[in-house]
């Protein structure tokens, strides 16, 4: 059922207001028109066109190869399917690190060509001046701290971040810098739930957790993970709400059997 009919659009101020009202923010990823429209009809508040597309959609080993042109293509496809939710574009690795001019130009492409509502960038204090520039240019920014997959070469793996007191203090400082720079919300990925609780309590902007426990202001998952479509690995923080890859295999095998046995099509399905 399409639940979007009588609902008003989600905007950046509404996302901020949800934290004030204690209403949890529901976020998921999408990379194409069809999934985006189904999520939008299911009252998801925020749809992230994540650079996880690189792994989940394109079959790459990491998110690093994802390009600006690929990202804009995915965002345009998602935009066509969304009437209500806030659409956020993930800025690809190396699209915002080179210099401020290039960052503004790249972020601007998402707003001009794909009509997104906001962009997301991984990083803390070091990217705060860039966040400020984008926000001042009219481009809302979502931050991303904790496990930052674009830093996989530095981190050496996808382990839980902020586990020591020292790292937790760095993360808190980064979170405050991102907030001060004007970000409207912050993704916290794979950090201890007590740290996520503290960050959430100390920030006025909403936190959106993925593997960060129950106290964040909202939650995000990779849609293909929670639907059981991406089966290469299943992080502990993913809850599977369906087993669609298995359903698809069963459906395709039924179709295949019917074709081989001359059971499909029948005369009702013919002209
Ligand atoms: O790329 C992505 O899908 C993300 C989410 C996991 C937060 O960054």
């Amino acid at each position: 059922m399409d639940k979007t009919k009588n609902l008003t659009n989600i905007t950046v101020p509404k996302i901020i207001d949800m934290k004030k009202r204690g209403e949890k923010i529901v976020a998921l990823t999408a990379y194409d028109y069809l999934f985006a429209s189904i999520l939008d009809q299911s009252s998801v508040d925020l749809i992230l066109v994540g650079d996880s597309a690189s792994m989940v959609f394109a079959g790459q080993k990491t998110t690093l190869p994802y390009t600006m042109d690929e990202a804009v293509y995915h965002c345009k496809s998602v935009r066509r399917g969304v009437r209500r939710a806030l659409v956020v574009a993930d800025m690809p690795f190396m699209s915002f690190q080179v210099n401020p001019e290039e960052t503004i130009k790249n972020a601007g492409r998402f707003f001009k060509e794909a009509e997104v509502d906001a962009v997301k960038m991984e990083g803390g204090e070091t990217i705060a001046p860039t966040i400020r520039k984008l926000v001042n240019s009219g481009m809302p920014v979502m931050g991303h701290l904790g496990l930052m997959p674009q830093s996989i070469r530095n981190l050496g793996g996808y382990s839980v971040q902020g586990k020591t007191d020292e790292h937790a203090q760095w993360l808190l400082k980064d979170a405050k810098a991102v907030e001060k720079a004007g970000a409207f919300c912050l993704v916290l990925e794979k950090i201890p739930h007590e740290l996520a609780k503290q960050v959430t309590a100390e920030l006025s902007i909403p936190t959106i957790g993925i593997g960060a426990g129950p106290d964040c202001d909202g939650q995000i998952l990779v849609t293909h993970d929670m639907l059981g479509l991406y089966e290469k690995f299943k992080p502990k923080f993913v809850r599977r709400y369906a087993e669609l890859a298995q359903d698809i295999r069963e459906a395709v095998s039924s179709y295949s059997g019917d074709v081989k046995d001359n059971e499909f099509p029948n005369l009702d399905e013919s002209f």
Side-chain angles (χ1 to χ4, degrees):
M1 193 184 72
D2 185 346
K3 291 193 193 163
T4 59
K5 286 207 174 98
N6 301 316
L7 297 172
T8 53
N9 288 352
I10 302 284
T11 59
V12 162
K14 278 187 189 162
I15 293 285
I16 298 170
D17 198 48
M18 286 170 85
K19 175 172 181 131
K20 294 195 188 116
R21 287 186 288 107
E23 187 187 342
K24 290 274 186 179
I25 298 157
V26 179
L28 282 171
T29 58
Y31 318 122
D32 62 65
Y33 164 80
L34 190 60
F35 266 87
S37 56
I38 295 169
L39 300 187
D40 196 46
Q41 288 158 18
S42 315
S43 300
V44 166
D45 299 310
L46 186 154
I47 297 178
L48 171 68
V49 189
D51 62 357
S52 50
S54 181
M55 297 166 77
V56 174
F57 189 89
Q60 301 279 12
K61 286 197 181 73
T62 69
T63 59
L64 304 188
Y66 193 53
T67 66
M68 271 302 300
D69 285 345
E70 287 166 349
V72 169
Y73 170 79
H74 285 298
C75 287
K76 281 180 173 176
S77 309
V78 166
R79 178 76 273 172
R80 287 183 209 115
V82 178
R83 282 191 288 174
R84 174 183 175 264
L86 195 86
V87 176
V88 181
D90 219 352
M91 300 261 325
F93 177 60
M94 290 314 290
S95 70
F96 59 95
Q97 290 90 346
V98 178
N99 60 48
E101 292 71 34
E102 207 171 301
T103 306
I104 291 187
K105 224 165 93 188
N106 283 331
R109 282 191 65 191
F110 288 116
F111 290 87
K112 285 182 87 77
E113 295 177 37
E115 298 179 80
V116 302
D117 301 303
V119 291
K120 174 168 89 58
M121 284 160 53
E122 293 181 12
E125 226 171 356
T126 51
I127 65 155
T130 312
I131 295 177
R132 171 52 61 203
K133 280 203 175 67
L134 294 190
V135 174
N136 286 349
S137 308
M139 299 187 260
V141 176
M142 182 185 204
H144 184 152
L145 288 171
L147 176 64
M148 294 180 279
Q150 291 180 7
S151 303
I152 187 68
R153 299 283 181 245
N154 282 338
L155 300 173
Y158 294 96
S159 53
V160 179
Q161 302 296 303
K163 284 211 294 198
T164 65
D165 278 353
E166 193 188 14
H167 284 163
Q169 285 315 311
W170 287 349
L171 194 140
L172 193 56
K173 204 160 155 243
D174 275 338
K176 287 182 177 168
V178 165
E179 173 178 53
K180 194 160 169 235
F184 73 96
C185 74
L186 175 64
V187 170
L188 294 175
E189 181 163 352
K190 220 170 171 188
I191 62 170
H193 67 96
E194 285 297 348
L195 176 58
K197 186 178 180 179
Q198 188 186 358
V199 175
T200 302
E202 294 199 21
L203 295 192
S204 60
I205 57 169
T207 57
I208 316 261
I210 172 162
D215 296 304
C216 294
D217 299 302
Q219 297 291 332
I220 186 163
L221 284 175
V222 170
T223 300
H224 293 64
D225 286 342
M226 58 86 85
L227 293 180
L229 273 168
Y230 189 73
E231 300 180 301
K232 267 195 176 159
F233 52 87
K234 182 191 154 315
K236 173 181 162 163
F237 58 77
V238 170
R239 184 181 297 176
R240 283 215 178 136
Y241 287 86
E243 296 294 345
L244 293 193
Q246 188 52 27
D247 290 349
I248 291 171
R249 278 191 291 267
E250 282 167 21
V252 171
S253 131
S254 297
Y255 166 71
S256 174
D258 286 352
V259 171
K260 299 263 186 215
D261 299 341
N262 211 16
E263 296 282 340
F264 176 83
N266 60 28
L267 288 183
D268 286 342
E269 291 153 336
S270 306
F271 298 99

